[in-house]
Amino acid sequence: MTDQVEVWEDAIVNLVGTSLDNGWTITELLPRPGAEGAEDLTGAWFSVGYIAKKENQKAFVKVIDIQRALTRHGHGTLMERLKNVTDSHSFECSILNVCSQAKLDRIVQILARGEIPPPANAPMPIAFPYIMFEWADGGDVRKMVSRTNAIENAWRLEVLHSVAVGLMQLHGQEIAHQDLKPSNVLLFGQDGKDAKIGDLGCASRKGMEANHDGMFVAGALKYAPPEQIYGVRPEKWEDRREGCDLYHLGCLATFIFSGVTPTDYYVQNIDPAIRPIHWQGRGGCNYQTALPVLTSAFTAFVSEIKSSFPAWGAEELTQILIHACNPDYTKRGDPDSRARTGNPIGMETFISRFDRLSKRALVESRRP
């Protein structure tokens, strides 16, 4: 069995030269997250990334590594684990199809999906499913921020505006992203200002159950809101899903301007007795007990981060951060919107604020 597993492992990383549908050919294997030379990459452990080309076009191909999922992860029988992997893949494809049909232009578009035949001597005759996406020629926000400090405020704010629009587009289809982070904000165009949201593998949709919906934290722990880290599952969709996306948007803003997130501050400044295990704490403290401490720490974080914002926009950006990342999930969102029936988070307000600030940034950049 060991030899057969190695055959499958070799096959999943040796697909260069494979022809796909519609004239595409796989041309390059991308580093896996955490590998040497790819320390700043994040992504699914159970997929392998490739570049494909067709004439002058490039695309990103996500190949599902079923073998790794079956042999190295999860509980239950082999067939149960296989079902979990295939169900997750089918769910992501269905979400992507909704986005394509609704023409959500701030979401990375799917170009194709299909299957690559398994190697002849594979342990089971299971193909490699793949999804092909449009290629982000500008990379992602995490790479952009790590490469240079010479980033214009106008760029930062235009990216945040685009991401807020993307979230509102998703929410309009009753979809929550759940894993918005710098590496999932992809950049297009020569100036990298055309930002789109990618990787819907952790998304949730009302009325459509996903394998990860039962998890307290579906996405990256570093960007998860406090209630999730403390194991609290808010009852209302607006709090549980859309409020999580808004928290991620606030974290993206602090990362773009300063390189840090609220979680970084909590881990460094809250007593280990209060912090949960995922924040390098001792665990044992519940969310309601920790909330006053979290609120105090968040206030201090906002005060410190304010100096990273441009002076002309610091007050408004601070208010955006306070409303987006409030550790009390019942107060997260635009206050006026939250007072309405259904308690909407008011994403449209954040969109208009980032739009106004990005226009102001362009004006400020032209001042002598």
Side-chain angles (χ1 to χ4, degrees):
M1 180 64 179
T2 301
D3 291 341
Q4 291 178 315
V5 169
E6 290 177 353
V7 167
W8 211 341
E9 287 181 335
D10 288 343
I12 193 72
V13 295
N14 284 285
L15 296 176
V16 171
T18 301
S19 297
L20 305 177
D21 295 335
N22 302 318
W24 290 91
T25 301
I26 292 178
T27 59
E28 182 180 342
L29 171 68
L30 296 173
R32 300 194 82 161
E36 184 177 355
E39 291 80 6
D40 64 343
L41 295 181
T42 56
W45 180 249
F46 303 125
S47 65
V48 177
Y50 283 93
I51 294 175
K53 290 185 179 180
K54 181 174 74 170
E55 298 175 350
N56 295 325
Q57 301 179 70
K58 291 176 71 174
F60 169 71
V61 181
K62 177 181 178 180
V63 183
I64 309 304
D65 190 350
I66 292 179
Q67 180 275 327
R68 181 182 290 268
L70 292 180
T71 60
R72 302 191 180 184
H73 178 74
H75 303 284
T77 67
L78 180 69
M79 295 309 295
E80 286 171 341
R81 281 179 280 151
L82 176 60
K83 183 178 184 300
N84 286 336
V85 176
T86 55
D87 283 353
S88 295
H89 173 68
S90 296
F91 178 83
E92 182 177 3
C93 289
S94 68
I95 292 290
L96 290 165
N97 287 338
V98 170
C99 295
S100 295
Q101 291 169 10
K103 295 181 169 52
L104 307 188
D105 62 351
R106 292 298 97 196
I107 308 301
V108 174
Q109 293 298 299
I110 181 174
L111 300 179
R113 57 177 289 195
E115 294 183 349
I116 299 170
N121 54 345
M124 287 189 294
I126 299 175
F128 301 124
Y130 71 85
I131 311 174
M132 184 185 298
F133 300 91
E134 58 181 328
W135 177 256
D137 48 357
D140 61 54
V141 163
R142 185 174 182 178
K143 291 179 183 176
M144 175 68 81
V145 173
S146 66
R147 279 198 298 258
T148 177
N149 290 322
I151 299 175
E152 297 178 353
N153 289 322
W155 177 86
R156 293 183 172 102
L157 291 161
E158 286 179 27
V159 167
L160 290 168
H161 173 258
S162 293
V163 172
V165 170
L167 290 177
M168 191 162 124
Q169 289 179 346
L170 288 173
H171 295 174
Q173 300 298 316
E174 298 187 318
I175 297 170
H177 189 279
Q178 299 295 285
D179 194 26
L180 182 69
K181 54 191 175 186
S183 60
N184 283 341
V185 177
L186 305 181
L187 307 173
F188 297 79
Q190 291 185 343
D191 56 9
K193 291 181 180 179
D194 186 13
K196 298 184 182 184
I197 299 174
D199 194 351
L200 294 175
C202 294
S204 291
R205 193 182 192 202
K206 268 188 178 181
M208 183 183 284
E209 188 72 18
N211 289 336
H212 52 264
D213 277 346
M215 301 169 62
F216 286 110
V217 182
L221 291 171
K222 180 175 180 179
Y223 298 96
E227 69 274 8
Q228 291 186 352
I229 294 295
Y230 279 89
V232 172
R233 181 182 171 87
E235 181 180 354
K236 293 181 179 179
W237 170 271
E238 291 79 10
D239 295 332
R240 186 171 70 256
R241 302 304 186 196
E242 295 183 3
C244 171
D245 282 354
L246 181 58
Y247 185 89
H248 289 164
L249 177 63
C251 289
L252 180 66
T254 65
F255 179 84
I256 285 178
F257 278 99
S258 70
V260 299
T261 68
T263 297
D264 298 324
Y265 191 88
Y266 294 149
V267 169
Q268 295 172 11
N269 293 279
I270 293 179
D271 191 301
I274 303 296
R275 296 199 312 264
I277 293 174
H278 290 311
W279 283 351
Q280 302 172 28
R282 298 173 193 163
C285 182
N286 64 42
Y287 174 67
Q288 290 300 330
T289 302
L291 190 53
V293 179
L294 289 166
T295 301
S296 177
F298 178 62
T299 300
F301 171 72
V302 171
S303 179
E304 286 194 16
I305 208 74
K306 186 175 181 179
S307 62
S308 299
F309 298 143
W312 51 263
E315 289 299 328
E316 185 159 11
L317 282 165
T318 298
Q319 286 303 305
I320 289 173
L321 177 58
I322 290 171
H323 294 154
C325 291
N326 195 316
D328 184 345
Y329 67 82
T330 66
K331 298 178 181 177
R332 195 173 300 146
D334 174 64
D336 291 337
S337 298
R338 282 301 225 168
R340 299 178 200 148
T341 302
N343 307 120
I345 61 171
M347 187 63 74
E348 67 279 0
T349 301
F350 295 90
I351 290 172
S352 63
R353 283 180 167 180
F354 284 131
D355 184 44
R356 182 169 60 250
L357 286 166
S358 66
K359 289 181 172 64
R360 173 71 185 275
L362 286 174
V363 173
E364 293 293 332
S365 69
R366 294 172 185 145
R367 292 185 186 277

